[in-house]
């Protein structure tokens, strides 16, 4: 498994994927820097007494849509490495189990999105310090608005990976990702059973993370079973 994961990392070199991993969190932090820079007096008055929480909630409100569309793009780019070159059968001819090959791609996808998530948290902290909100950083709030959404969004990531591998036409996976992004932007009006709403944790952190874990586990098992039993393209 380790060699397959290393192979996946070799395949994404010079493919622009790492650029996207850094671009997402940088874009979110830059937008909030502009937001607070332009409306500093008004926003600091609005969030008086809880400046960090105000900043982090704003970062999170942009971070979730970025996570949704980012998961669609990154999983699609990873799967398309095989779809585009029609090399599925070539790789699967190697002495490895099909589920290991599928899981290695999934692990790399999740890892890349976690790198992006951690960069977002670091960027939010740096921005808060730069805005002179103090060094008494509320790390739980950092986790709640920057890290927990990725945990709650695991079903989204796993679902996007499944779609990207399942269909050679990547417009299907990307379209679902765009739809999910729109839903996440209007999450206040969306039904709570939609997984694109879960990163906002409308039912509380513990319940949402438990629900996400259960659904993510089911998607993993079902998607691996589908990949094993399906005849992949050449």
């Amino acid at each position: 498994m380790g060699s397959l994961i290393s192979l996946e990392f070799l395949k994404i070199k010079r493919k622009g994927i790492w650029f996207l991993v850094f671009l997402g969190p940088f874009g979110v932090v830059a937008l909030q820097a502009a937001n607070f820079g332009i409306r500093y007096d008004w926003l600091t008055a609005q969030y008086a007494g809880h400046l960090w929480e105000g900043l982090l909630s704003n970062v999170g409100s942009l971070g979730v849509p970025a996570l949704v569309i980012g998961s669609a793009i990154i999983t699609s780019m990873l799967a398309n490495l095989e779809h585009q070159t029609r090399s599925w059968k070539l790789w699967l001819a190697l002495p490895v189990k099909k589920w290991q090959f599928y899981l290695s791609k999934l692990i790399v996808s999740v890892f890349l999105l976690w790198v992006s998530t951690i960069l977002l948290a670091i960027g939010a902290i740096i921005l808060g310090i730069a805005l002179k909100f103090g060094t008494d950083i509320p790390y739980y709030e950092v986790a709640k608005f920057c890290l927990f959404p990725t945990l709650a969004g695991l079903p989204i990531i796993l679902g996007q990976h499944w779609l990207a591998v399942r269909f050679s036409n990547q417009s299907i996976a990307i379209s679902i990702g765009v739809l999910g992004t729109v839903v996440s932007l209007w999450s206040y009006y969306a039904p709570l059973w939609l997984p694109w709403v879960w990163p906002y944790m409308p039912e509380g952190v513990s319940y949402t993370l438990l629900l996400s874990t259960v659904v993510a586990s089911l998607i993993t098992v079902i998607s691996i079973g589908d990949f094993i039993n399906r005849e992949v393209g050449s």
Side-chain angles (χ1 to χ4, degrees):
M1 178 67 77
S3 59
L4 286 174
I5 293 173
S6 299
L7 182 60
E8 289 298 324
F9 279 113
L10 283 175
K11 286 191 286 185
I12 66 174
K13 289 181 67 176
R14 292 185 289 276
K15 296 295 183 181
I17 295 178
W18 280 109
F19 172 73
L20 293 176
V21 168
F22 284 86
L23 179 64
F26 175 80
V28 170
V29 173
L31 285 172
Q32 287 306 325
N35 179 32
F36 275 80
I38 294 170
R39 304 191 298 163
Y40 186 84
D41 292 336
W42 187 82
L43 286 172
T44 51
Q46 289 292 310
Y47 298 127
H50 49 277
L51 295 174
W52 274 104
E53 290 80 356
L55 170 64
L56 292 168
S57 65
N58 276 271
V59 169
S61 67
L62 288 181
V64 170
L67 169 68
V68 176
I69 193 63
S71 65
I73 294 172
I74 287 176
T75 55
S76 179
M77 291 180 72
L78 281 171
N80 208 39
L81 293 173
E82 269 62 56
H83 288 309
Q84 206 168 39
T85 58
R86 299 182 180 275
S87 58
W88 285 109
K89 287 186 177 179
L90 175 64
W91 290 114
L92 293 175
L94 297 173
V96 294
K97 297 184 183 299
K98 290 178 73 174
W99 68 266
Q100 291 178 322
F101 186 74
Y102 181 89
L103 198 58
S104 66
K105 275 192 172 295
L106 178 58
I107 290 171
V108 171
S109 296
V110 173
F111 175 81
L112 292 172
L113 288 162
W114 266 109
V115 170
S116 192
T117 296
I118 293 169
L119 289 173
L120 177 63
I122 294 171
I125 291 172
I126 293 173
L127 177 59
I129 294 173
L131 291 171
K132 299 180 181 179
F133 288 172
T135 55
D136 187 15
I137 302 166
Y139 289 104
Y140 176 78
E141 299 298 324
V142 172
K144 178 180 177 180
F145 291 110
C146 298
L147 304 181
F148 287 174
T150 300
L151 285 174
L154 277 176
I156 300 170
I157 300 169
L158 302 182
Q160 287 292 158
H161 180 264
W162 185 10
L163 288 171
V165 172
R166 184 68 175 78
F167 300 103
S168 59
N169 183 355
Q170 291 304 296
S171 64
I172 297 173
I174 294 296
S175 296
I176 296 297
V178 171
L179 174 63
T181 304
V182 173
V183 172
S184 71
L185 288 169
W186 293 89
S187 61
Y188 183 80
Y189 304 99
L192 298 181
W193 53 266
L194 288 174
W196 297 293
V197 179
W198 298 349
Y200 292 105
M201 289 163 285
E203 295 295 299
V205 174
S206 299
Y207 176 81
T208 305
L209 293 183
L210 176 61
L211 177 63
S212 172
T213 301
V214 172
V215 174
S217 300
L218 287 173
I219 293 174
T220 301
V221 172
I222 294 171
S223 61
I224 288 176
D226 175 63
F227 185 75
I228 290 173
N229 295 318
R230 183 169 52 86
E231 183 69 24
V232 296
S234 57

